[in-house]
């Protein structure tokens, strides 16, 4: 285990992939191993990378954006290593994920960038069941963890729970922002990225449209800090440096935010297994659970399994 972590910290992609697989594993035997890995990683790693979430409607240009954003960040931050987690939709028919983002994002042999696809597990919310746990791992191996989520409905809210900073990609004149306003999603991101700004007049009109929507929201609720707006074009290779500078300056959640994020994902998992009934039972244990996230997770799953099922954890 120590050797595996050491190699992963040195950037060995095979070791990193192996570690990720443990945190994605559904085998009960791997749970205890993850607790031990978690503790060893805390000892060995000095990194605490930022988690940046990117969401937006299907086809908005998220994967293309990630490719250019990562290239720009690697130049701006020569000391940084970057991991990308792309969550692809699972097919409701086959249960398999197409993992199509592999075709748009390609870091080749770049030593400083790592790419991982994840299926969204048919889980509501556009991220996988273990995406948070995988991000917790990766942030100790990389300076930045960039997560592309499946952009459908509520996923924008889930990605904001997962990430320290959330970006929302909008394509010009898609009308997406009207839908987003209705569902409250416009209030979530710290920055908007208008993609495909190849045609200047279209890009300019889209910018005005977005600005007026945000002004409208400000008038209704002046508490919200106006988000930043970026315009990018992969065809013109423009706008990525400014966006990279914004991402590079992003701040991690404070420790209270960290705890509430961990609790959110613990509760989500418990709800998945045991529904609202499980959540009520969890309330008694959550306060008492201590230690790292993985340790608390294992303890809680075991306790609830004993209480609710009278046998081993699901
Ligand atoms: N003209 C133009 N086309 C772009 C730009 N960025 C992306 N595209 C095109 O838009 C299409 C979708 O791009 P993706 O990057 O796959 O979009 P996505 O949001 O990741 O898509 P999903 O992951 O399927 O939701 C592709 O055909 C891209 O070539 C851009 O800046 N300008
Ligand atoms: Mg994509």
């Amino acid at each position: 285990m120590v050797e595996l972590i050491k190699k992963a910290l040195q950037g060995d992609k095979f070791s990193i992939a192996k570690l990720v697989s443990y945190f994605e594993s559904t085998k009960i035997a791997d749970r205890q191993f993850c607790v031990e890995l978690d503790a060893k990683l805390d000892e060995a790693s000095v990194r605490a990378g930022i988690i940046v979430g990117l969401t937006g409607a299907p086809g908005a240009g998220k994967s293309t954006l990630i490719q250019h954003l990562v290239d720009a960040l690697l130049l701006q931050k020569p000391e940084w290593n970057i991991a990308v987690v792309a969550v692809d939709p699972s097919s409701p028919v086959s249960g398999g994920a197409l993992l199509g983002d592999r075709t748009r994002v390609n870091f080749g042999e770049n030593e400083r960038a790592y790419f991982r696809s994840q299926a969204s597990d048919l889980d509501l919310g556009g991220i996988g069941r273990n995406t948070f746990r995988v991000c917790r791992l990766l942030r100790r191996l990389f300076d930045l963890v960039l997560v592309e989520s499946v952009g459908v409905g509520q996923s924008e809210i889930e990605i904001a729970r997962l990430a320290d900073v959330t970006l929302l990609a909008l394509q010009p004149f898609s009308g997406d922002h009207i839908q987003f306003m209705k569902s409250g999603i416009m209030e979530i991101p710290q920055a908007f990225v208008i993609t495909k700004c190849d045609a200047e007049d279209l890009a300019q009109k889209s910018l005005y449209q977005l600005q007026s929507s945000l002004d409208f929201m400000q008038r209704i609720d002046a508490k919200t800090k106006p988000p930043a707006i970026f315009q990018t074009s992969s065809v013109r290779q423009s706008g990525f440096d400014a966006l990279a500078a914004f991402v590079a300056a992003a701040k991690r959640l404070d420790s209270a935010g960290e705890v509430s994020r961990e609790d959110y994902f613990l509760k989500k998992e418990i709800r998945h297994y045991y529904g609202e009934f499980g959540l009520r039972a969890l309330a008694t244990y959550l306060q008492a659970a201590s230690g790292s996230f993985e340790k608390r997770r294992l303890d809680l799953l075991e306790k609830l399994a004993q209480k609710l099922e009278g046998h081993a954890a699901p």
Side-chain angles (χ1 to χ4, degrees), residues 96-269:
L98 277 169
L99 305 184
D101 286 318
R102 277 195 196 283
T103 57
R104 296 250 182 270
V105 183
N106 184 358
F107 298 128
E109 293 299 300
N110 195 322
E111 292 284 308
R112 293 166 54 212
Y114 173 77
F115 180 82
R116 178 85 178 191
S117 272
Q118 261 198 343
S120 78
D121 248 351
L122 297 180
D123 201 346
L124 277 177
I127 58 171
R129 196 164 303 155
N130 290 311
T131 308
F132 172 64
R133 297 175 61 220
V134 168
C135 288
R136 271 193 81 244
L137 159 73
L138 290 175
R139 69 186 303 190
R140 283 173 284 177
L141 304 176
F142 293 89
D143 302 284
L144 173 69
V145 182
L146 200 46
V147 187
E148 174 186 341
S149 86
V150 186
V152 275
Q154 293 302 300
S155 64
E156 289 78 4
I157 296 173
E158 283 297 298
I159 192 86
R161 297 305 306 230
L162 174 86
D164 298 317
V165 170
T166 307
L167 314 175
L168 180 62
L170 291 172
Q171 43 180 344
F173 283 100
S174 56
D176 286 344
H177 69 287
I178 306 289
Q179 293 303 321
F180 288 142
M181 255 169 93
K182 284 196 216 159
S183 47
I185 286 162
M186 293 290 276
E187 290 144 46
I188 286 173
Q190 280 74 40
F192 288 90
V193 186
I194 304 176
T195 55
K196 311 188 188 180
C197 291
D198 317 326
E200 243 157 51
D201 52 338
L202 269 185
Q204 206 52 42
K205 280 185 195 151
S206 301
L207 178 66
Y208 291 147
Q209 218 179 36
L210 176 60
Q211 268 167 343
S212 66
S213 301
L214 292 173
D215 287 348
F216 174 71
M217 282 167 54
Q218 278 280 304
R219 282 202 295 277
I220 297 174
D221 179 8
K223 284 198 301 286
T224 48
K225 187 173 168 249
I229 303 177
F230 296 93
Q231 292 175 286
T232 61
S233 162
S234 63
V235 174
R236 289 192 170 186
Q237 299 266 2
S238 63
F240 299 106
D241 288 341
L243 183 60
F246 176 84
V247 169
K251 295 271 178 295
R252 280 187 298 277
L253 291 183
D254 59 15
S255 52
E258 200 83 60
V259 171
S260 94
R261 169 163 63 187
E262 290 188 353
D263 286 356
Y264 176 83
F265 285 99
L266 275 174
K267 285 180 187 161
K268 190 178 160 172
E269 190 169 8

